[in-house]
Tab-separated table of all heavy atoms in Angstrom:
chain	number	residue	atom	x	y	z
Q	1	MET	N	-171.098	150.147	9.625
Q	1	MET	CA	-172.073	150.612	8.660
Q	1	MET	C	-172.496	149.447	7.765
Q	1	MET	O	-171.689	148.624	7.384
Q	1	MET	CB	-171.485	151.734	7.824
Q	1	MET	CG	-172.464	152.354	6.905
Q	1	MET	SD	-171.729	153.822	6.171
Q	1	MET	CE	-173.090	154.373	5.234
Q	2	LYS	N	-173.775	149.398	7.426
Q	2	LYS	CA	-174.319	148.326	6.605
Q	2	LYS	C	-174.177	148.672	5.124
Q	2	LYS	O	-174.418	149.794	4.713
Q	2	LYS	CB	-175.778	148.093	6.947
Q	2	LYS	CG	-175.983	147.664	8.369
Q	2	LYS	CD	-177.441	147.561	8.705
Q	2	LYS	CE	-177.615	147.259	10.182
Q	2	LYS	NZ	-179.000	147.284	10.582
Q	3	GLU	N	-173.775	147.694	4.349
Q	3	GLU	CA	-173.604	147.895	2.918
Q	3	GLU	C	-174.952	147.766	2.221
Q	3	GLU	O	-175.638	146.762	2.356
Q	3	GLU	CB	-172.646	146.846	2.369
Q	3	GLU	CG	-172.424	146.943	0.895
Q	3	GLU	CD	-171.567	145.816	0.372
Q	3	GLU	OE1	-171.123	144.979	1.163
Q	3	GLU	OE2	-171.369	145.782	-0.846
Q	4	ILE	N	-175.351	148.784	1.488
Q	4	ILE	CA	-176.604	148.753	0.741
Q	4	ILE	C	-176.313	148.168	-0.637
Q	4	ILE	O	-175.466	148.666	-1.376
Q	4	ILE	CB	-177.230	150.152	0.623
Q	4	ILE	CG1	-177.604	150.661	2.016
Q	4	ILE	CG2	-178.442	150.121	-0.293
Q	4	ILE	CD1	-178.138	152.071	2.041
Q	5	LEU	N	-177.010	147.078	-0.965
Q	5	LEU	CA	-176.783	146.408	-2.242
Q	5	LEU	C	-177.607	147.012	-3.363
Q	5	LEU	O	-177.124	147.204	-4.464
Q	5	LEU	CB	-177.101	144.909	-2.104
Q	5	LEU	CG	-176.276	144.153	-1.069
Q	5	LEU	CD1	-176.750	142.721	-0.967
Q	5	LEU	CD2	-174.810	144.208	-1.419
Q	6	THR	N	-178.889	147.299	-3.089
Q	6	THR	CA	-179.776	147.858	-4.111
Q	6	THR	C	-181.016	148.432	-3.438
Q	6	THR	O	-181.161	148.350	-2.226
Q	6	THR	CB	-180.172	146.775	-5.143
Q	6	THR	OG1	-180.859	147.401	-6.220
Q	6	THR	CG2	-181.035	145.703	-4.536
Q	7	HIS	N	-181.914	148.999	-4.223
Q	7	HIS	CA	-183.187	149.519	-3.732
Q	7	HIS	C	-184.310	148.858	-4.518
Q	7	HIS	O	-184.233	148.754	-5.747
Q	7	HIS	CB	-183.279	151.036	-3.903
Q	7	HIS	CG	-182.326	151.782	-3.039
Q	7	HIS	ND1	-182.570	152.033	-1.716
Q	7	HIS	CD2	-181.113	152.319	-3.295
Q	7	HIS	CE1	-181.561	152.709	-1.205
Q	7	HIS	NE2	-180.644	152.890	-2.150
Q	8	ILE	N	-185.339	148.405	-3.818
Q	8	ILE	CA	-186.505	147.804	-4.461
Q	8	ILE	C	-187.748	148.462	-3.895
Q	8	ILE	O	-187.981	148.409	-2.689
Q	8	ILE	CB	-186.557	146.281	-4.226
Q	8	ILE	CG1	-185.333	145.605	-4.836
Q	8	ILE	CG2	-187.844	145.697	-4.812
Q	8	ILE	CD1	-185.251	144.127	-4.581
Q	9	LYS	N	-188.515	149.079	-4.753
Q	9	LYS	CA	-189.756	149.762	-4.376
Q	9	LYS	C	-189.569	150.684	-3.174
Q	9	LYS	O	-190.364	150.701	-2.243
Q	9	LYS	CB	-190.858	148.743	-4.092
Q	9	LYS	CG	-191.268	147.952	-5.318
Q	9	LYS	CD	-192.416	147.036	-5.016
Q	9	LYS	CE	-192.803	146.246	-6.248
Q	9	LYS	NZ	-193.906	145.353	-6.001
Q	10	GLY	N	-188.498	151.420	-3.149
Q	10	GLY	CA	-188.255	152.389	-2.090
Q	10	GLY	C	-187.594	151.819	-0.839
Q	10	GLY	O	-187.308	152.550	0.089
Q	11	PHE	N	-187.349	150.530	-0.799
Q	11	PHE	CA	-186.688	149.906	0.341
Q	11	PHE	C	-185.254	149.580	-0.031
Q	11	PHE	O	-184.977	149.061	-1.107
Q	11	PHE	CB	-187.397	148.610	0.758
Q	11	PHE	CG	-188.765	148.834	1.310
Q	11	PHE	CD1	-189.886	148.663	0.504
Q	11	PHE	CD2	-188.946	149.225	2.618
Q	11	PHE	CE1	-191.149	148.865	0.998
Q	11	PHE	CE2	-190.210	149.439	3.128
Q	11	PHE	CZ	-191.315	149.256	2.319
Q	12	SER	N	-184.328	149.873	0.879
Q	12	SER	CA	-182.935	149.532	0.607
Q	12	SER	C	-182.670	148.095	1.049
Q	12	SER	O	-183.106	147.665	2.107
Q	12	SER	CB	-181.992	150.488	1.333
Q	12	SER	OG	-182.197	150.415	2.716
Q	13	ILE	N	-181.991	147.342	0.211
Q	13	ILE	CA	-181.627	145.968	0.503
Q	13	ILE	C	-180.181	145.987	0.977
Q	13	ILE	O	-179.287	146.404	0.244
Q	13	ILE	CB	-181.779	145.061	-0.749
Q	13	ILE	CG1	-183.186	145.157	-1.317
Q	13	ILE	CG2	-181.407	143.626	-0.409
Q	13	ILE	CD1	-184.292	144.749	-0.365
Q	14	GLN	N	-179.966	145.531	2.207
Q	14	GLN	CA	-178.644	145.586	2.807
Q	14	GLN	C	-178.029	144.196	2.883
Q	14	GLN	O	-178.717	143.197	2.816
Q	14	GLN	CB	-178.743	146.186	4.208
Q	14	GLN	CG	-179.348	147.573	4.191
Q	14	GLN	CD	-179.646	148.093	5.573
Q	14	GLN	OE1	-179.646	147.357	6.542
Q	14	GLN	NE2	-179.901	149.377	5.663
Q	15	ARG	N	-176.731	144.145	3.015
Q	15	ARG	CA	-176.000	142.891	3.043
Q	15	ARG	C	-176.474	141.986	4.170
Q	15	ARG	O	-176.583	140.795	4.006
Q	15	ARG	CB	-174.505	143.144	3.181
Q	15	ARG	CG	-173.662	141.899	3.087
Q	15	ARG	CD	-172.218	142.275	2.934
Q	15	ARG	NE	-171.382	141.432	2.158
Q	15	ARG	CZ	-171.547	140.942	0.956
Q	15	ARG	NH1	-172.638	141.194	0.309
Q	15	ARG	NH2	-170.656	140.198	0.365
Q	16	ASN	N	-176.757	142.499	5.323
Q	16	ASN	CA	-177.198	141.687	6.452
Q	16	ASN	C	-178.676	141.932	6.754
Q	16	ASN	O	-179.069	142.077	7.889
Q	16	ASN	CB	-176.348	141.970	7.683
Q	16	ASN	CG	-176.436	143.408	8.125
Q	16	ASN	OD1	-176.935	144.246	7.401
Q	16	ASN	ND2	-175.961	143.705	9.317
Q	17	PHE	N	-179.494	141.941	5.705
Q	17	PHE	CA	-180.901	142.275	5.848
Q	17	PHE	C	-181.661	141.264	6.694
Q	17	PHE	O	-182.676	141.578	7.271
Q	17	PHE	CB	-181.578	142.427	4.483
Q	17	PHE	CG	-181.699	141.142	3.717
Q	17	PHE	CD1	-182.848	140.393	3.794
Q	17	PHE	CD2	-180.669	140.686	2.929
Q	17	PHE	CE1	-182.963	139.211	3.089
Q	17	PHE	CE2	-180.773	139.512	2.221
Q	17	PHE	CZ	-181.929	138.762	2.308
Q	18	VAL	N	-181.193	140.037	6.822
Q	18	VAL	CA	-181.905	139.004	7.567
Q	18	VAL	C	-182.047	139.385	9.036
Q	18	VAL	O	-183.056	139.109	9.659
Q	18	VAL	CB	-181.202	137.638	7.417
Q	18	VAL	CG1	-181.856	136.587	8.296
Q	18	VAL	CG2	-181.228	137.202	5.969
Q	19	THR	N	-181.066	140.055	9.602
Q	19	THR	CA	-181.137	140.444	11.008
Q	19	THR	C	-182.199	141.505	11.249
Q	19	THR	O	-182.600	141.714	12.379
Q	19	THR	CB	-179.787	140.974	11.508
Q	19	THR	OG1	-179.422	142.112	10.734
Q	19	THR	CG2	-178.714	139.913	11.406
Q	20	ASN	N	-182.673	142.161	10.182
Q	20	ASN	CA	-183.650	143.231	10.331
Q	20	ASN	C	-185.089	142.764	10.143
Q	20	ASN	O	-186.005	143.561	10.221
Q	20	ASN	CB	-183.356	144.353	9.331
Q	20	ASN	CG	-182.000	144.964	9.568
Q	20	ASN	OD1	-181.533	145.023	10.689
Q	20	ASN	ND2	-181.364	145.399	8.512
Q	21	LEU	N	-185.300	141.480	9.832
Q	21	LEU	CA	-186.651	140.991	9.600
Q	21	LEU	C	-187.412	140.798	10.910
Q	21	LEU	O	-186.862	140.249	11.867
Q	21	LEU	CB	-186.611	139.650	8.857
Q	21	LEU	CG	-186.139	139.689	7.414
Q	21	LEU	CD1	-186.062	138.281	6.860
Q	21	LEU	CD2	-187.043	140.541	6.574
Q	22	PRO	N	-188.663	141.222	10.953
Q	22	PRO	CA	-189.457	140.976	12.160
Q	22	PRO	C	-189.858	139.508	12.245
Q	22	PRO	O	-189.908	138.806	11.238
Q	22	PRO	CB	-190.685	141.859	11.961
Q	22	PRO	CG	-190.792	142.020	10.497
Q	22	PRO	CD	-189.393	141.972	9.953
Q	23	TYR	N	-190.130	139.025	13.449
Q	23	TYR	CA	-190.541	137.641	13.657
Q	23	TYR	C	-191.923	137.418	13.042
Q	23	TYR	O	-192.815	138.233	13.191
Q	23	TYR	CB	-190.591	137.323	15.146
Q	23	TYR	CG	-191.038	135.910	15.429
Q	23	TYR	CD1	-190.162	134.857	15.277
Q	23	TYR	CD2	-192.345	135.636	15.805
Q	23	TYR	CE1	-190.556	133.563	15.513
Q	23	TYR	CE2	-192.757	134.334	16.051
Q	23	TYR	CZ	-191.854	133.305	15.901
Q	23	TYR	OH	-192.254	132.023	16.129
Q	24	ASN	N	-192.077	136.330	12.327
Q	24	ASN	CA	-193.353	136.004	11.707
Q	24	ASN	C	-193.625	134.521	11.950
Q	24	ASN	O	-192.924	133.660	11.404
Q	24	ASN	CB	-193.318	136.307	10.212
Q	24	ASN	CG	-194.655	136.112	9.543
Q	24	ASN	OD1	-195.496	135.357	10.014
Q	24	ASN	ND2	-194.859	136.798	8.434
Q	25	HIS	N	-194.612	134.225	12.769
Q	25	HIS	CA	-194.926	132.844	13.141
Q	25	HIS	C	-195.284	132.006	11.918
Q	25	HIS	O	-194.917	130.832	11.830
Q	25	HIS	CB	-196.064	132.809	14.158
Q	25	HIS	CG	-196.413	131.426	14.596
Q	25	HIS	ND1	-195.580	130.682	15.399
Q	25	HIS	CD2	-197.475	130.639	14.317
Q	25	HIS	CE1	-196.132	129.486	15.606
Q	25	HIS	NE2	-197.286	129.443	14.957
Q	26	TYR	N	-195.972	132.595	10.951
Q	26	TYR	CA	-196.367	131.861	9.746
Q	26	TYR	C	-195.146	131.334	8.997
Q	26	TYR	O	-195.142	130.211	8.498
Q	26	TYR	CB	-197.198	132.746	8.825
Q	26	TYR	CG	-197.468	132.103	7.483
Q	26	TYR	CD1	-198.358	131.037	7.370
Q	26	TYR	CD2	-196.804	132.530	6.340
Q	26	TYR	CE1	-198.587	130.433	6.142
Q	26	TYR	CE2	-197.026	131.929	5.116
Q	26	TYR	CZ	-197.923	130.880	5.018
Q	26	TYR	OH	-198.138	130.277	3.822
Q	27	LEU	N	-194.092	132.149	8.919
Q	27	LEU	CA	-192.892	131.722	8.203
Q	27	LEU	C	-192.221	130.550	8.903
Q	27	LEU	O	-191.674	129.663	8.252
Q	27	LEU	CB	-191.920	132.894	8.070
Q	27	LEU	CG	-192.390	134.038	7.188
Q	27	LEU	CD1	-191.351	135.151	7.176
Q	27	LEU	CD2	-192.679	133.563	5.787
Q	28	LYS	N	-192.268	130.528	10.219
Q	28	LYS	CA	-191.666	129.422	10.966
Q	28	LYS	C	-192.416	128.122	10.672
Q	28	LYS	O	-191.798	127.077	10.449
Q	28	LYS	CB	-191.681	129.729	12.458
Q	28	LYS	CG	-190.909	128.736	13.276
Q	28	LYS	CD	-190.784	129.171	14.716
Q	28	LYS	CE	-189.973	128.187	15.507
Q	28	LYS	NZ	-189.813	128.595	16.895
Q	29	CYS	N	-193.731	128.175	10.631
Q	29	CYS	CA	-194.534	126.992	10.307
Q	29	CYS	C	-194.269	126.545	8.876
Q	29	CYS	O	-194.148	125.349	8.600
Q	29	CYS	CB	-196.016	127.286	10.492
Q	29	CYS	SG	-196.494	127.612	12.189
Q	30	LEU	N	-194.171	127.492	7.958
Q	30	LEU	CA	-193.902	127.180	6.561
Q	30	LEU	C	-192.537	126.504	6.408
Q	30	LEU	O	-192.391	125.537	5.654
Q	30	LEU	CB	-193.954	128.455	5.725
Q	30	LEU	CG	-193.801	128.316	4.228
Q	30	LEU	CD1	-194.941	127.478	3.642
Q	30	LEU	CD2	-193.771	129.690	3.584
Q	31	LEU	N	-191.553	126.981	7.140
Q	31	LEU	CA	-190.221	126.402	7.090
Q	31	LEU	C	-190.234	124.945	7.548
Q	31	LEU	O	-189.609	124.086	6.922
Q	31	LEU	CB	-189.266	127.220	7.955
Q	31	LEU	CG	-187.841	126.722	8.037
Q	31	LEU	CD1	-187.191	126.742	6.663
Q	31	LEU	CD2	-187.046	127.568	9.004
Q	32	LYS	N	-190.960	124.657	8.616
Q	32	LYS	CA	-191.056	123.287	9.103
Q	32	LYS	C	-191.681	122.379	8.048
Q	32	LYS	O	-191.217	121.261	7.816
Q	32	LYS	CB	-191.879	123.226	10.385
Q	32	LYS	CG	-191.152	123.740	11.596
Q	32	LYS	CD	-192.012	123.616	12.824
Q	32	LYS	CE	-191.333	124.199	14.044
Q	32	LYS	NZ	-192.154	124.092	15.241
Q	33	GLU	N	-192.727	122.866	7.382
Q	33	GLU	CA	-193.383	122.083	6.336
Q	33	GLU	C	-192.435	121.812	5.171
Q	33	GLU	O	-192.395	120.707	4.641
Q	33	GLU	CB	-194.625	122.816	5.829
Q	33	GLU	CG	-195.752	122.874	6.835
Q	33	GLU	CD	-196.903	123.734	6.357
Q	33	GLU	OE1	-196.958	124.061	5.154
Q	33	GLU	OE2	-197.761	124.075	7.186
Q	34	LYS	N	-191.649	122.811	4.790
Q	34	LYS	CA	-190.715	122.634	3.675
Q	34	LYS	C	-189.626	121.634	4.034
Q	34	LYS	O	-189.212	120.840	3.195
Q	34	LYS	CB	-190.103	123.968	3.272
Q	34	LYS	CG	-191.055	124.843	2.527
Q	34	LYS	CD	-190.351	126.067	2.019
Q	34	LYS	CE	-191.312	126.914	1.247
Q	34	LYS	NZ	-190.837	127.257	-0.055
Q	35	ARG	N	-189.150	121.672	5.267
Q	35	ARG	CA	-188.120	120.716	5.676
Q	35	ARG	C	-188.651	119.295	5.621
Q	35	ARG	O	-187.952	118.381	5.201
Q	35	ARG	CB	-187.634	121.032	7.086
Q	35	ARG	CG	-186.690	122.191	7.141
Q	35	ARG	CD	-186.057	122.287	8.505
Q	35	ARG	NE	-185.490	123.597	8.697
Q	35	ARG	CZ	-185.528	124.274	9.832
Q	35	ARG	NH1	-186.103	123.750	10.889
Q	35	ARG	NH2	-184.995	125.453	9.914
Q	36	LYS	N	-189.888	119.116	6.044
Q	36	LYS	CA	-190.493	117.782	6.024
Q	36	LYS	C	-190.734	117.313	4.591
Q	36	LYS	O	-190.627	116.132	4.293
Q	36	LYS	CB	-191.806	117.776	6.799
Q	36	LYS	CG	-191.613	117.889	8.293
Q	36	LYS	CD	-192.945	117.915	9.009
Q	36	LYS	CE	-192.766	118.137	10.495
Q	36	LYS	NZ	-194.046	118.228	11.196
Q	37	ALA	N	-191.055	118.247	3.690
Q	37	ALA	CA	-191.354	117.899	2.304
Q	37	ALA	C	-190.084	117.609	1.503
Q	37	ALA	O	-190.159	117.036	0.427
Q	37	ALA	CB	-192.133	119.028	1.641
Q	38	ARG	N	-188.930	118.007	2.032
Q	38	ARG	CA	-187.645	117.788	1.364
Q	38	ARG	C	-187.610	118.430	-0.024
Q	38	ARG	O	-187.252	117.810	-1.009
Q	38	ARG	CB	-187.308	116.307	1.287
Q	38	ARG	CG	-187.254	115.587	2.618
Q	38	ARG	CD	-186.129	116.030	3.469
Q	38	ARG	NE	-184.863	115.629	2.839
Q	38	ARG	CZ	-183.687	115.922	3.330
Q	38	ARG	NH1	-183.591	116.584	4.450
Q	38	ARG	NH2	-182.593	115.560	2.721
Q	39	ILE	N	-188.003	119.688	-0.098
Q	39	ILE	CA	-187.961	120.450	-1.337
Q	39	ILE	C	-186.493	120.665	-1.709
Q	39	ILE	O	-185.655	120.964	-0.862
Q	39	ILE	CB	-188.716	121.784	-1.171
Q	39	ILE	CG1	-190.192	121.482	-0.929
Q	39	ILE	CG2	-188.509	122.700	-2.356
Q	39	ILE	CD1	-191.022	122.674	-0.558
Q	40	LEU	N	-186.183	120.495	-2.978
Q	40	LEU	CA	-184.808	120.546	-3.444
Q	40	LEU	C	-184.077	121.819	-2.997
Q	40	LEU	O	-182.943	121.750	-2.526
Q	40	LEU	CB	-184.752	120.427	-4.965
Q	40	LEU	CG	-183.358	120.490	-5.577
Q	40	LEU	CD1	-182.490	119.350	-5.061
Q	40	LEU	CD2	-183.439	120.470	-7.083
Q	41	GLY	N	-184.717	122.960	-3.131
Q	41	GLY	CA	-184.093	124.217	-2.724
Q	41	GLY	C	-183.729	124.228	-1.249
Q	41	GLY	O	-182.660	124.705	-0.862
Q	42	GLU	N	-184.601	123.693	-0.424
Q	42	GLU	CA	-184.330	123.617	1.016
Q	42	GLU	C	-183.182	122.663	1.308
Q	42	GLU	O	-182.328	122.942	2.139
Q	42	GLU	CB	-185.579	123.156	1.772
Q	42	GLU	CG	-186.616	124.222	1.963
Q	42	GLU	CD	-186.195	125.236	3.007
Q	42	GLU	OE1	-185.696	124.837	4.060
Q	42	GLU	OE2	-186.381	126.426	2.744
Q	43	VAL	N	-183.155	121.539	0.621
Q	43	VAL	CA	-182.087	120.560	0.831
Q	43	VAL	C	-180.731	121.178	0.487
Q	43	VAL	O	-179.773	121.079	1.260
Q	43	VAL	CB	-182.330	119.289	-0.014
Q	43	VAL	CG1	-181.135	118.360	0.031
Q	43	VAL	CG2	-183.580	118.565	0.463
Q	44	LEU	N	-180.656	121.842	-0.663
Q	44	LEU	CA	-179.402	122.465	-1.073
Q	44	LEU	C	-178.996	123.583	-0.125
Q	44	LEU	O	-177.814	123.731	0.211
Q	44	LEU	CB	-179.535	123.000	-2.505
Q	44	LEU	CG	-179.783	121.942	-3.582
Q	44	LEU	CD1	-180.016	122.613	-4.923
Q	44	LEU	CD2	-178.655	120.943	-3.643
Q	45	PHE	N	-179.970	124.388	0.313
Q	45	PHE	CA	-179.685	125.472	1.244
Q	45	PHE	C	-179.086	124.943	2.545
Q	45	PHE	O	-178.058	125.413	3.004
Q	45	PHE	CB	-180.959	126.272	1.539
Q	45	PHE	CG	-180.783	127.262	2.656
Q	45	PHE	CD1	-180.144	128.465	2.445
Q	45	PHE	CD2	-181.263	126.984	3.926
Q	45	PHE	CE1	-179.978	129.378	3.464
Q	45	PHE	CE2	-181.105	127.889	4.962
Q	45	PHE	CZ	-180.452	129.094	4.722
Q	46	TRP	N	-179.717	123.940	3.137
Q	46	TRP	CA	-179.242	123.426	4.423
Q	46	TRP	C	-177.915	122.692	4.299
Q	46	TRP	O	-177.112	122.691	5.222
Q	46	TRP	CB	-180.304	122.561	5.086
Q	46	TRP	CG	-181.390	123.430	5.638
Q	46	TRP	CD1	-182.652	123.552	5.169
Q	46	TRP	CD2	-181.278	124.356	6.731
Q	46	TRP	NE1	-183.330	124.502	5.893
Q	46	TRP	CE2	-182.519	124.996	6.863
Q	46	TRP	CE3	-180.248	124.706	7.590
Q	46	TRP	CZ2	-182.741	125.966	7.839
Q	46	TRP	CZ3	-180.479	125.669	8.564
Q	46	TRP	CH2	-181.714	126.291	8.670
Q	47	LYS	N	-177.631	122.100	3.141
Q	47	LYS	CA	-176.307	121.495	2.934
Q	47	LYS	C	-175.231	122.568	2.975
Q	47	LYS	O	-174.168	122.378	3.567
Q	47	LYS	CB	-176.257	120.755	1.594
Q	47	LYS	CG	-176.864	119.392	1.643
Q	47	LYS	CD	-176.617	118.643	0.339
Q	47	LYS	CE	-177.148	117.236	0.430
Q	47	LYS	NZ	-176.828	116.459	-0.771
Q	48	LYS	N	-175.498	123.710	2.340
Q	48	LYS	CA	-174.531	124.806	2.349
Q	48	LYS	C	-174.377	125.393	3.749
Q	48	LYS	O	-173.278	125.732	4.162
Q	48	LYS	CB	-174.939	125.899	1.366
Q	48	LYS	CG	-174.712	125.511	-0.064
Q	48	LYS	CD	-174.969	126.688	-0.984
Q	48	LYS	CE	-174.630	126.313	-2.407
Q	48	LYS	NZ	-174.733	127.469	-3.307
Q	49	VAL	N	-175.473	125.528	4.466
Q	49	VAL	CA	-175.411	126.068	5.822
Q	49	VAL	C	-174.569	125.154	6.714
Q	49	VAL	O	-173.704	125.605	7.454
Q	49	VAL	CB	-176.824	126.254	6.418
Q	49	VAL	CG1	-176.769	126.543	7.904
Q	49	VAL	CG2	-177.561	127.367	5.683
Q	50	ARG	N	-174.825	123.864	6.626
Q	50	ARG	CA	-174.070	122.921	7.449
Q	50	ARG	C	-172.591	122.890	7.084
Q	50	ARG	O	-171.747	122.661	7.932
Q	50	ARG	CB	-174.686	121.529	7.328
Q	50	ARG	CG	-176.016	121.439	8.035
Q	50	ARG	CD	-176.581	120.025	8.008
Q	50	ARG	NE	-177.952	120.025	8.501
Q	50	ARG	CZ	-179.017	119.871	7.737
Q	50	ARG	NH1	-178.902	119.667	6.441
Q	50	ARG	NH2	-180.216	119.896	8.260
Q	51	ALA	N	-172.286	123.138	5.818
Q	51	ALA	CA	-170.895	123.169	5.369
Q	51	ALA	C	-170.269	124.540	5.597
Q	51	ALA	O	-169.096	124.746	5.278
Q	51	ALA	CB	-170.811	122.791	3.899
Q	52	LYS	N	-171.052	125.478	6.125
Q	52	LYS	CA	-170.623	126.854	6.413
Q	52	LYS	C	-170.097	127.548	5.149
Q	52	LYS	O	-169.096	128.231	5.177
Q	52	LYS	CB	-169.579	126.865	7.521
Q	52	LYS	CG	-170.126	126.360	8.827
Q	52	LYS	CD	-169.122	126.413	9.927
Q	52	LYS	CE	-169.739	125.865	11.197
Q	52	LYS	NZ	-168.832	125.857	12.291
Q	53	LYS	N	-170.806	127.364	4.043
Q	53	LYS	CA	-170.415	127.992	2.779
Q	53	LYS	C	-171.323	129.151	2.405
Q	53	LYS	O	-171.284	129.622	1.286
Q	53	LYS	CB	-170.421	126.953	1.664
Q	53	LYS	CG	-169.342	125.912	1.822
Q	53	LYS	CD	-169.273	124.981	0.651
Q	53	LYS	CE	-168.163	123.991	0.839
Q	53	LYS	NZ	-168.081	123.053	-0.275
Q	54	ILE	N	-172.155	129.613	3.310
Q	54	ILE	CA	-173.030	130.755	3.050
Q	54	ILE	C	-172.234	132.021	3.349
Q	54	ILE	O	-171.654	132.177	4.414
Q	54	ILE	CB	-174.302	130.701	3.919
Q	54	ILE	CG1	-175.094	129.465	3.621
Q	54	ILE	CG2	-175.132	131.958	3.742
Q	54	ILE	CD1	-175.732	129.438	2.255
Q	55	SER	N	-172.199	132.951	2.395
Q	55	SER	CA	-171.457	134.194	2.629
Q	55	SER	C	-172.398	135.352	2.835
Q	55	SER	O	-173.517	135.346	2.511
Q	55	SER	CB	-170.540	134.473	1.455
Q	55	SER	OG	-171.263	134.510	0.250
């Protein structure tokens, strides 16, 4: 069973909500642009992912 964290505008936000997102080509292109731009938030995010510290 999925843990529901909260509700926003009638949608339930679940702990593993990322697996429920539909594929969006625009987001993939945007992600590539952000990685190339070296935006601070992206840099910090990927450091945590590589260190396997994302919970």
